């Protein structure tokens, strides 16, 4: 191993699956004034080398010596010290605005961007989220999301640790082990994405499943249908609160409360210390009940994109983080997401939001998940096409689904085609890969 000394202002890349050493490495970097950039351990060498080079990492901590390193110094995780040194280096007093994490976006619109999150961002987020969901020192989080994503780091790790709670790290998520872990470890909450709730609820009924220790769960990263939320809550008997946020906002900006008014179909009100507003097309703040772009302000807003000042200036303006999401606030400040601006389908000049079609499909009892995208069309420009995953015990035909949504939607919103598929493609953080789906369709325009 080529030795290198890491210190204040350096970046350490950590490319490991979920294991406690990953967290130890991140926190060790913080102790000596360095920042960390966690890398998806499933990345190809090309993907990993890009993040290593772009982040300027001086050291890469990996599972094996032959893992991608971008030519940097490598420390294999099994070679980490197992006992304290006789002359430990003193910790560094880092400033609140010092860089703590570089989390890379999924790159769905181009090369991934490094989101710069400071120690102040992380401290604020863990505190804000903890207050909203009522986490105390008595709570115990079961970590199931990947630690290269900010959701796992903030909601599942930093939030409970900040108040003296507990975290259990059990490795990569699997449905069968999840129930075993819950019964054995007795966690009080966990955070997951809709795909995981879909997998859990699609399992055969089993009277031996014991989820009694769980008092709530969090759902984020992508919208979840009311139907799936209801089914999961009824099946397992614990509250599921839906939240919303971006990596650029250090994970979360809104969440339904665990104890308080929950409004299904919304992602809740702004978290403590944050503001959420809706911008009209003319750039003014829209009134209650009016759809527009969701903007966020608070100490959770990122420092910026690494090395991309122009991109940063487009995204953060006058302290407001422009999310690219369309939403509506009600009179109580609860946010309902309409869709992504970039996902909007323009059919012959008519604006169509895929989420409205997906929600209509989700009301069919056989539908587990649905994704709607715009397919190129020679006459209309774009037309909606739907992909549906059915529950294993509830097969459904494409004609049945078409008949179902035709009764719920105006003609222009009815998909020109509905395909029943085994699974929907996903990006590394579990979101449905709509950009990839659109690319696959672009070569075959609809007629």
């Amino acid at each position: 191993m080529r030795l290198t000394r890491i210190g204040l202002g350096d970046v350490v890349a950590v490319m490991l699956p979920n294991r406690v050493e990953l967290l130890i490495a991140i926190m060790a970097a913080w102790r000596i004034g360095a920042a960390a950039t966690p890398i998806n351990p499933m990345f190809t060498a090309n993907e990993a080398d890009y993040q290593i080079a772009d982040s300027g990492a001086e050291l890469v901590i990996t599972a094996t010596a032959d893992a991608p390193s971008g030519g940097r110094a490598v420390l294999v995780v099994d070679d980490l010290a197992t006992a304290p040194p006789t002359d430990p280096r003193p910790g560094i007093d880092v400033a609140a605005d010092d860089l703590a994490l570089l989390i890379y976006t999924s790159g769905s619109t181009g090369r991934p961007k490094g989101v710069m999150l400071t120690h102040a961002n992380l401290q604020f987020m863990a505190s804000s989220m903890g207050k909203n969901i009522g986490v105390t020192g008595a709570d115990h989080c079961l970590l199931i999301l990947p630690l290269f994503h900010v959701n796992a780091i903030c909601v599942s790790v930093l939030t409970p640790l900040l108040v003296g709670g507990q975290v259990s790290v059990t490795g990569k998520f699997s449905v069968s082990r999840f129930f075993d872990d819950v019964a054995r470890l007795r966690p009080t909450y966990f955070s997951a994405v809709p795909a995981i709730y879909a997998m859990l609820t699609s399992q055969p009924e089993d009277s031996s499943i014991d989820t009694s220790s769980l008092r709530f769960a969090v759902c984020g990263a992508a919208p979840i249908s009311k139907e799936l939320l209801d089914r999961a809550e009824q099946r397992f008997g614990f509250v599921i609160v839906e939240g919303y946020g971006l990596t650029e906002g250090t994970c979360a900006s809104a969440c339904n409360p665990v104890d308080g008014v929950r409004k299904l179909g919304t992602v809740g009100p702004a978290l403590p210390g944050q503001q959420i507003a809706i911008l009209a097309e003319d750039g003014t703040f829209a009134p209650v009940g009016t759809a527009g772009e969701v903007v966020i302000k608070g100490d959770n807003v990122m420092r910026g994109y690494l090395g991309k000042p122009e991109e940063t200036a487009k995204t953060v303006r006058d302290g407001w983080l422009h999310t690219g999401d369309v939403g509506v606030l009600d009179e109580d400040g609860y946010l309902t997401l309409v869709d992504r601006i970039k996902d909007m389908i323009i059919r012959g000049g008519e604006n169509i939001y895929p989420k409205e079609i997906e929600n209509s499909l989700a009301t069919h009892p056989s539908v587990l998940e649905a994704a709607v995208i715009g397919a190129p069309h020679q006459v209309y420009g774009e037309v909606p096409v739907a992909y549906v995953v059915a529950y294993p015990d509830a097969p459904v035909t494409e004609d049945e689904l078409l008949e179902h949504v035709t009764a719920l939607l105006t003609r222009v919103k009815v998909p020109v085609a509905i395909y029943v598929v085994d699974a929907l493609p996903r990006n590394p953080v579990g979101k449905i890969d709509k950009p990839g789906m659109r690319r696959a369709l672009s070569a075959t325009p609809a007629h």
Side-chain angles (χ1 to χ4, degrees):
M1 181 188 79
R2 177 169 62 83
L3 296 178
T4 188
R5 186 174 180 83
I6 304 299
L8 185 65
D10 289 329
V11 175
V12 176
V14 187
M15 189 174 178
L16 295 171
N18 278 15
R19 51 189 293 178
V20 70
E21 291 87 353
L22 193 162
L23 294 172
I24 291 171
I26 290 174
M27 293 180 184
W30 292 345
R31 186 176 185 274
I32 57 175
T37 186
I39 300 176
N40 183 348
M42 300 304 293
F43 269 1
T44 64
N46 178 61
E47 292 167 322
D49 287 348
Y50 169 79
Q51 184 170 335
I52 292 165
D54 190 74
S55 67
E58 295 287 344
L59 173 69
V60 185
I61 299 176
T62 65
T64 60
D66 59 354
S69 65
R72 273 41 173 201
V74 173
L75 179 59
V76 177
V77 67
D78 290 340
D79 292 335
L80 290 174
T82 56
T86 55
D87 55 342
R89 289 172 61 182
I92 300 292
D93 291 329
V94 297
D97 289 336
D98 283 348
L99 183 64
L101 280 178
L102 269 173
I103 303 290
Y104 276 72
T105 61
S106 60
S108 59
T109 57
R111 277 292 204 177
K113 298 187 289 288
V115 175
M116 297 187 288
L117 301 177
T118 66
H119 290 280
N121 287 148
L122 299 179
Q123 174 78 22
F124 174 83
M125 177 51 58
S127 175
S128 180
M129 191 68 189
K131 288 176 183 175
N132 188 77
I133 59 178
V135 172
T136 72
D139 277 304
H140 173 188
C141 183
L142 178 64
L143 172 70
I144 59 177
L145 292 177
L147 281 166
F148 58 81
H149 190 249
V150 72
N151 187 322
I153 294 173
C154 287
V155 180
S156 298
V157 177
L158 297 182
T159 292
L161 292 186
L162 187 66
V163 293
Q166 182 180 346
V167 180
S168 286
V169 184
T170 59
K172 185 178 180 180
F173 170 79
S174 75
V175 173
S176 59
R177 201 188 66 239
F178 170 82
F179 293 113
D180 292 340
D181 288 344
V182 169
R184 177 173 56 90
L185 299 171
R186 310 293 293 168
T188 60
Y189 84 98
F190 67 95
S191 179
V193 296
I196 287 177
Y197 292 106
M199 286 187 276
L200 295 178
T201 58
S202 64
Q203 296 305 298
E205 294 286 347
D206 186 343
S207 59
S208 67
I209 289 176
D210 179 9
T211 58
S212 59
S213 68
L214 291 165
R215 65 183 185 90
F216 73 95
V218 181
C219 182
I224 186 171
S225 70
K226 293 180 185 179
E227 290 73 22
L228 178 55
L229 203 58
D230 281 338
R231 182 162 175 154
E233 287 193 339
Q234 292 171 15
R235 173 87 183 267
F236 303 118
F238 51 79
V239 169
I240 301 174
V241 292
E242 187 178 4
Y244 161 75
L246 286 74
T247 301
E248 290 88 340
T250 322
C251 176
S253 291
C255 189
N256 275 285
V258 175
D259 299 311
V261 177
R262 285 191 301 139
K263 296 187 180 183
L264 296 188
T266 79
V267 291
L271 292 180
Q274 298 189 46
Q275 298 177 60
I276 295 177
I278 304 297
L279 280 189
E281 288 187 7
D282 63 3
T284 62
F285 290 112
V288 167
T290 303
E293 184 181 13
V294 180
V295 291
I296 295 164
K297 180 179 280 191
D299 290 340
N300 58 304
V301 175
M302 66 173 178
R303 182 201 287 180
Y305 295 118
L306 178 68
K308 292 179 169 53
E310 292 182 359
E311 295 260 14
T312 300
K314 291 177 185 176
T315 305
V316 183
R317 303 198 292 272
D318 297 325
W320 290 96
L321 173 64
H322 289 246
T323 67
D325 289 314
V326 180
V328 179
L329 286 172
D330 70 13
E331 63 280 358
D332 299 318
Y334 282 63
L335 176 65
T336 298
L337 295 176
V338 176
D339 221 323
R340 291 287 293 168
I341 291 174
K342 66 185 179 183
D343 285 344
M344 186 174 69
I345 299 166
I346 303 177
R347 177 177 182 166
E350 191 95 23
N351 292 348
I352 299 172
Y353 289 107
K355 191 168 185 287
E356 182 182 0
I357 306 173
E358 292 162 1
N359 288 343
S360 296
L361 285 163
T363 62
H364 192 287
S366 294
V367 173
L368 174 60
E369 288 188 292
V372 174
I373 59 173
H377 192 278
Q378 293 175 347
V379 176
Y380 297 113
E382 287 182 300
V383 290
V385 173
Y387 296 83
V388 168
V389 178
Y391 282 100
D393 58 349
V396 67
T397 68
E398 292 155 3
D399 287 343
E400 288 172 325
L401 292 173
L402 188 59
E403 182 180 353
H404 179 75
V405 294
T406 298
L408 299 175
L409 299 168
T410 58
R411 184 177 177 183
V412 71
K413 298 175 184 176
V414 174
V416 299
I418 299 177
Y419 302 103
V420 178
V421 296
D422 293 331
L424 297 173
R426 299 185 184 277
N427 66 20
V429 298
K431 294 183 181 180
I432 296 171
D433 184 15
K434 286 192 174 183
M437 295 172 73
R438 283 193 290 266
R439 286 193 295 271
L441 272 180
S442 64
T444 55
H447 297 283

